[in-house]
Amino acid sequence: MSSIKKIRQTATYALCFGCGIAMLASCSDDDMIPQVQSNTITIENVLDAKPLVESGTFMGTGTPPVIFPGQSISIEFYAGAGQALSFATMYGWSNDLFFAPENPGITLYKADGTPVTGDVSAQIKLWDNGTRVNQAPGINVVHPGTAEPSPGNITEVNGTDAQGNMYLPASQLMKATLSYQGDSKFKLTIENKSGGTANETPFSPGVWTVSYAPGGDILEKMPIYTKGKPTANGLTNIAEMGDNAMISAHLRGMTGIFTPLSPVLVVVYKGNENPFYKVGEKDRAEGLSDLAQTGNADILAAKLQSKSGVKKVYVLKESVSTVLLPKIGNANGGKVMQQLDIEKGDRIAIATMYGLSNDWFYATKGNGIDATRKGDVSDEVSLYDNGTKRDQYPGANIRIDLSGMSLWESKSIQEVPNPNVFTTLPQIVKVTLN
């Protein structure tokens, strides 16, 4: 073989060997260098909120089911601080009069947050529905079938009606008494005490409501009637005939769940366990109870920063209200977003407080979400009870210890069943990765 040919052959071998080494080196480097990618997490409150915590009906026990003089009925309901109870029932021996509290309803809590109990009759008024010509009150009242030339507005009957007929104050005809049953539960007893008066009358079947009051502001201040406005939504059927079916259906449509979500804790981590809780274990005293009870995620976020395997911690707040409000009317619910730098094998965990609860929180199940997933991952989120405060009706909780009624408890973290002992929950949290 000529020396030139040997040189060429040696150069070719060297070149191929070098390429092989380069290729191996390249493959090795690719394996060693993490492939970082971006994924954006979006958390939304998609709850179609309702303004009423609860609503219901009541009636007498006889046939017909009216409440005669000397008889009484009771209503049991849940209510939180700042909320009010409203109801309506027909002044039976009239053409279109009804009893109801002055809006927004009967005050249920004192300024210090303790429940109101005892006689609340002074808050009950007598009202003219404005749809029938009034006659002198009494058993012989008949519905003449003559509507007023133009429908009138709802007005208070204070001593006399528009036709000069005289009436005693509502508090002398109806006694309303509140008692507190514990764990935000009340009982209202309505007693017919009109017997032997000039305004003796039965009370018809009626309706009642309790409105949400987030931040102390009652959402539905006029749930049954509006003073100075025409009657609506089936109230006429109660005021004229004692029929509560139509307005009850209307109120049921306004009754349901309302809750904001607290600022959302988002954690990117590696490992086989959720970094901040485990079902069946008690709260770790690392800050999860603060999130579950008050919505403060900062304490837990700071603790997670130093945990092994935790790569990044975020506390996401809605820009305007901080919390994520539900959908109210035409306004969309609150939404937060965060771009995440992730690698294969990373997991995502989130947590946010069910705002109108004592210690419920939404969180990713088990070992969190594969950080590389795409699309709607809401199925990886569930509602949990932190086990540090006793449960009360969601949205009607008081969160304070009363004499002999401590709310503190020490139980293991458990998933909240749906339906639960209080209510059935619709979807509230939506989580998307894109």
Side-chain angles (χ1 to χ4, degrees):
M1 183 181 295
S2 69
S3 55
I4 294 177
K5 187 175 181 180
K6 287 182 178 180
I7 291 172
R8 285 178 177 172
Q9 191 176 52
T10 301
T12 301
Y13 290 156
L15 179 61
C16 290
F17 182 69
C19 287
I21 292 175
M23 289 174 67
L24 288 171
S26 175
C27 290
S28 178
D29 289 346
D30 286 347
D31 287 342
M32 294 176 61
I33 299 174
Q35 299 300 300
V36 178
Q37 56 184 293
S38 292
N39 216 350
T40 298
I41 189 168
T42 303
I43 301 103
E44 302 172 76
N45 188 336
V46 295
L47 174 65
D48 186 7
K50 304 294 183 182
L52 301 181
V53 183
E54 286 188 285
S55 63
T57 62
F58 60 87
M59 63 181 66
T61 57
T63 305
V66 298
I67 307 160
F68 287 105
Q71 296 182 339
S72 64
I73 60 95
S74 293
I75 304 163
E76 292 188 342
F77 59 94
Y78 294 93
Q83 297 173 0
L85 172 75
S86 189
F87 69 85
T89 177
M90 179 188 184
Y91 180 118
W93 289 341
S94 74
N95 283 348
D96 68 342
L97 304 185
F98 66 94
F99 293 97
E102 183 87 55
N103 283 324
I106 296 173
T107 301
L108 299 171
Y109 288 89
K110 302 174 186 176
D112 64 1
T114 57
V116 172
T117 59
D119 192 336
V120 291
S121 307
Q123 298 183 57
I124 312 301
K125 308 292 183 183
L126 182 61
W127 304 90
D128 185 340
N129 193 55
T131 50
R132 296 278 186 174
V133 175
N134 294 326
Q135 295 174 285
I139 193 170
N140 295 319
V141 168
V142 294
H143 293 261
T146 305
E148 296 177 351
S150 60
N153 295 328
I154 293 173
T155 56
E156 182 182 350
V157 177
N158 191 3
T160 60
D161 63 17
Q163 283 69 43
N165 300 306
M166 299 186 66
Y167 294 87
L168 292 170
S171 60
Q172 295 186 31
L173 306 176
M174 172 184 289
K175 183 177 182 180
T177 308
L178 273 176
S179 63
Y180 185 66
Q181 312 292 295
D183 284 338
S184 75
K185 188 176 184 179
F186 288 84
K187 178 190 284 187
L188 177 75
T189 300
I190 296 174
E191 178 187 352
N192 187 335
K193 51 184 254 182
S194 67
T197 72
N199 297 119
E200 185 168 331
T201 182
F203 305 152
S204 76
V207 293
W208 60 269
T209 70
V210 177
S211 176
Y212 284 103
D217 185 22
I218 293 176
L219 288 183
E220 183 51 76
K221 297 179 175 64
M222 294 169 283
I224 297 175
Y225 73 95
T226 304
K227 182 179 179 180
K229 298 289 185 180
T231 186
N233 305 316
L235 178 59
T236 292
N237 290 11
I238 283 187
E240 293 186 3
M241 300 174 288
D243 179 359
N244 60 4
M246 183 175 177
I247 193 168
S248 174
H250 168 73
L251 294 172
R252 282 198 304 272
M254 298 171 61
T255 305
I257 300 298
F258 177 98
T259 188
L261 301 173
S262 71
V264 185
L265 176 68
V266 178
V267 183
V268 179
Y269 66 101
K270 285 188 180 296
N272 297 318
E273 291 189 0
N274 190 296
F276 46 83
Y277 87 98
K278 185 176 182 179
V279 170
E281 292 184 352
K282 290 185 178 181
D283 182 90
R284 297 172 181 173
E286 295 177 343
L288 179 59
S289 62
D290 297 275
L291 182 150
Q293 292 178 20
T294 69
N296 180 3
D298 295 334
I299 297 172
L300 180 56
K303 181 68 177 180
L304 291 170
Q305 298 279 4
S306 60
K307 275 205 168 187
S308 175
V310 172
K311 301 176 65 176
K312 196 71 176 178
V313 180
Y314 306 89
V315 176
L316 308 183
K317 302 179 181 181
E318 220 277 343
S319 58
V320 177
S321 60
T322 302
V323 300
L324 278 66
L325 293 172
K327 294 192 290 185
I328 305 173
N330 294 324
N332 291 327
K335 177 170 69 173
V336 291
M337 303 174 68
Q338 177 64 49
Q339 181 176 308
L340 309 174
D341 291 331
I342 59 171
E343 303 164 10
K344 184 178 180 180
D346 284 352
R347 312 292 296 179
I348 298 172
I350 74 163
T352 180
M353 180 189 182
Y354 183 113
L356 298 190
S357 72
N358 284 347
D359 67 343
W360 287 0
F361 65 99
Y362 281 101
T364 41
K365 302 174 185 177
N367 189 27
I369 305 169
D370 179 350
T372 62
R373 275 187 64 176
K374 298 290 185 180
D376 190 335
V377 294
S378 306
D379 60 327
E380 298 285 357
V381 176
S382 192
L383 181 63
Y384 297 91
D385 182 348
N386 188 240
T388 49
K389 276 206 166 182
R390 205 164 65 241
D391 292 341
Q392 295 175 315
Y393 194 100
N397 51 310
I398 57 175
R399 298 186 188 171
I400 64 170
D401 291 335
L402 301 176
S403 178
M405 296 183 184
S406 174
L407 291 176
W408 293 101
E409 64 181 12
S410 181
K411 294 183 177 180
S412 60
I413 294 171
Q414 297 293 338
E415 187 172 354
V416 176
N418 193 25
N420 54 68
V421 296
F422 299 114
T423 187
T424 299
L425 297 171
Q427 183 181 359
I428 296 177
V429 181
K430 182 178 180 180
V431 182
T432 311
L433 290 171
N434 286 310

